[in-house]
Amino acid sequence: MALLKVLLLLLLGLGVSVNSDVSLQKRIIGGYDCHATERLYHVRVESSNGTHLHHCGGSLIHSWWILTAAHCWAFEPGWTNEIVINVHPRTAGEQRRMIQQAPVIYTQGGQQHDIMLLALERSITDVPLAPLPDCRHKIRVGHVVQLAGEGATTTGPNNQRLPPGAAIPPHLQCVDMRVVRTSLNVPTRGHVLYAAAPNKDICYGDPGGAAMHNHMIYGVISLGGANACESPVTILNVCEYKDWIRTTLGIH
């Protein structure tokens, strides 16, 4: 063991990058298996062109509608998009796939935001819904949000995120983070808030999933930095879009 430590110090001194077991084996990253009784509304948004397969998360917020991130939809020719229901827990029953054609993306002043609603081809009545937030009690700095997703559970060299299409973990991963900034309008992203926690982060495959607070969907995961655990997670602030969501869904 002493010899190994000496070799590691020598390699670091020579500028050679060394990853510890901790950095190589982080979950969602730094998370835990979501409980089998929570997150039943979580869905998978899959995009494929026959040779490549990418996936995101999403949430069933109405028997006919999914809420997710707009960048999770592949618009390029040759790509198809599907929604997979019953991804958590794995014992929830047979996974059901639905093909979608017409996403509804929030647009303000000609600028699309990274938030999207997907209409299902048939109603889902046997899966619990993710409740919309009570925006009389807005999310604030210091509040804890729970994120979840099926992104990679490991990182690459120097904590780089594994590329889209990495293997899906056997269990949906959850992670708790604390809100560090709120109520920002980023022109290329939308109305966002930021959350972070030491040695915890998201990965490709996690965007689109819900940021839950008090068992309500206060946010939609958008993205993180190029390397894990270097910058807060960007989250779309659902309270800023609640009127648009309700109007689109026909809720009065």
Side-chain angles (χ1 to χ4, degrees):
M1 181 62 70
L3 179 59
L4 177 60
K5 290 181 178 179
V6 171
L7 290 174
L8 287 173
L9 290 172
L10 287 173
L11 288 171
L12 290 171
L14 292 172
V16 177
S17 175
V18 177
N19 276 301
S20 69
D21 288 342
V22 174
S23 67
L24 288 174
Q25 299 300 326
K26 290 173 179 173
R27 291 175 177 251
I28 178 182
I29 295 157
Y32 52 91
D33 291 351
C34 299
H35 195 276
T37 61
E38 63 182 353
R39 297 274 180 172
L40 304 184
Y41 49 78
H42 186 87
V43 304
R44 187 183 307 139
V45 182
E46 287 189 353
S47 303
S48 174
N49 65 356
T51 57
H52 297 87
L53 177 66
H54 300 163
H55 70 274
C56 277
S59 301
L60 186 70
I61 61 169
H62 183 277
S63 59
W64 287 95
W65 292 91
I66 299 297
L67 180 65
T68 185
H71 78 267
C72 291
W73 188 269
F75 289 92
E76 296 83 356
W79 284 78
T80 59
N81 300 277
E82 289 185 315
I83 304 298
V84 186
I85 311 292
N86 282 354
V87 299
H88 176 74
R90 294 292 192 263
T91 57
E94 181 181 359
Q95 292 186 355
R96 289 166 281 177
R97 293 177 175 268
M98 300 184 182
I99 298 175
Q100 308 303 310
Q101 297 298 331
V104 182
I105 299 175
Y106 181 89
T107 303
Q108 184 180 61
Q111 176 67 55
Q112 289 187 340
H113 291 197
D114 192 25
I115 191 166
M116 172 175 66
L117 286 164
L118 298 173
L120 298 171
E121 60 187 4
R122 62 182 181 273
S123 176
I124 300 296
T125 58
D126 58 347
V127 176
L129 306 179
L132 291 175
D134 180 356
C135 296
R136 296 171 299 177
H137 306 285
K138 293 191 175 182
I139 203 81
R140 300 185 183 279
V141 171
H143 282 169
V144 173
V145 290
Q146 184 200 59
L147 313 184
E150 295 184 293
T153 59
T154 59
T155 56
N158 300 317
N159 255 3
Q160 291 179 346
R161 303 181 194 279
L162 295 181
I168 295 173
H171 299 283
L172 184 70
Q173 294 294 296
C174 283
V175 66
D176 298 323
M177 292 190 176
R178 198 168 297 276
V179 175
V180 294
R181 297 181 71 187
T182 63
S183 302
L184 298 174
N185 189 358
V186 179
T188 58
R189 193 62 49 182
H191 301 285
V192 302
L193 56 91
Y194 295 93
N199 299 317
K200 299 179 182 181
D201 209 339
I202 63 166
C203 200
Y204 298 114
D206 295 326
M212 302 297 288
H213 177 69
N214 286 341
H215 307 290
M216 293 175 283
I217 181 169
Y218 272 85
V220 173
I221 303 170
S222 182
L223 79 167
N227 293 343
C229 306
E230 289 188 352
S231 59
V233 177
T234 304
I235 300 169
L236 277 301
N237 189 341
V238 171
C239 277
E240 299 291 341
Y241 301 97
K242 188 174 178 180
D243 289 343
W244 167 73
I245 292 171
R246 290 174 63 88
T247 299
T248 305
L249 272 56
I251 301 174
H252 303 290

